[in-house]
């Protein structure tokens, strides 16, 4: 009788440990297709609180039939207060092509927005510019463009 109790206790401990080690199924992760056929994956950091932590932008080369077999490069950044709300492509710097824009919404009162933009070439994403503490209904693309022009003066 005693070995059965020990086995049951061991099993319950193992199952609770596995449950603790699983990432949050509601964590933000999104894939966006880039104009040259590559894909970018933007994701909040595993096991972190939803309102703060890190996020990654990973770039994969065009590879039909195996879209994530050709990892090229990526970056991990500290997330502004809040969680990722959306990812989009927009022209921020006025050069040919569009940039990856990651938009964050603060989870506290006010629902303020922040956004960060990344230029990318065929091999890597490169941080471009960020804006923070915008009103909850701000046009993040417009604010990033304005910040970029101001920085270039």
């Amino acid at each position: 009788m005693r070995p059965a109790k020990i086995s049951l206790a061991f099993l319950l401990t193992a199952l609770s440990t596995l449950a603790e080690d699983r990432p949050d199924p509601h964590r933000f992760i999104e894939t966006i297709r880039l104009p040259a056929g590559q894909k970018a994956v933007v994701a909040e950091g595993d096991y972190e609180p939803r309102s703060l932590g890190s996020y990654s932008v990973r770039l994969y080369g065009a590879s039909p039939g195996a879209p994530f077999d050709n990892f090229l490069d990526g970056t991990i950044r500290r997330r502004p207060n809040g969680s990722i709300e959306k990812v989009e492509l927009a022209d921020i710097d006025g050069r040919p092509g569009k940039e990856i824009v990651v938009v964050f919404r603060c989870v506290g009162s006010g629902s303020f927005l922040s956004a960060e933009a990344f230029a990318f070439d065929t091999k890597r994403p490169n941080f471009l510019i960020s804006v923070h503490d915008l009103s909850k209904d701000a046009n993040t693309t417009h604010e990033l463009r304005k910040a970029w022009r101001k920085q270039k003066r």
Side-chain angles (χ1 to χ4, degrees):
M1 199 69 152
R2 192 157 174 98
K5 285 183 182 179
I6 292 171
S7 295
L8 182 58
F10 176 76
L11 178 63
L12 291 174
T13 302
L15 288 175
S16 67
T17 302
L18 287 174
E20 290 173 10
D21 287 344
R22 277 191 218 145
D24 181 350
H26 304 292
R27 179 124 350 258
F28 184 94
I29 182 168
E30 187 169 319
T31 302
I32 189 164
R33 183 175 294 283
L34 305 177
Q38 310 109 308
K39 287 187 179 184
V41 175
V42 177
E44 292 176 346
D46 294 335
Y47 306 109
E48 297 172 350
R50 294 296 312 276
S51 60
L52 53 101
S54 66
Y55 74 102
S56 62
V57 178
R58 301 183 310 258
L59 185 64
Y60 295 86
S63 184
F68 303 105
D69 282 4
N70 188 10
F71 173 74
L72 299 172
D73 203 353
T75 187
I76 298 175
R77 292 189 47 87
R78 178 180 296 275
R79 220 177 328 141
N81 287 339
S83 53
I84 300 174
E85 182 170 280
K86 65 181 177 177
V87 177
E88 58 192 2
L89 292 176
D91 179 19
I92 302 302
D93 62 9
R95 297 180 191 143
K98 294 184 176 183
E99 288 71 47
I100 299 168
V101 174
V102 184
V103 179
F104 307 86
R105 185 167 302 273
C106 180
V107 295
S109 63
S111 299
F112 299 105
L113 294 174
S114 296
E116 298 193 340
F118 295 83
F120 55 90
D121 56 28
T122 57
K123 297 185 191 265
R124 69 184 47 90
N126 300 300
F127 177 75
L128 191 62
I129 189 104
S130 63
V131 291
H132 302 281
D133 301 322
L134 304 173
S135 68
K136 66 181 178 182
D137 55 353
N139 180 327
T140 54
T141 301
H142 172 75
E143 295 297 329
L144 284 164
R145 285 182 191 137
K146 191 165 69 172
W148 177 255
R149 285 191 302 268
K150 185 177 180 181
Q151 176 181 301
K152 287 299 171 187
R153 287 184 193 168

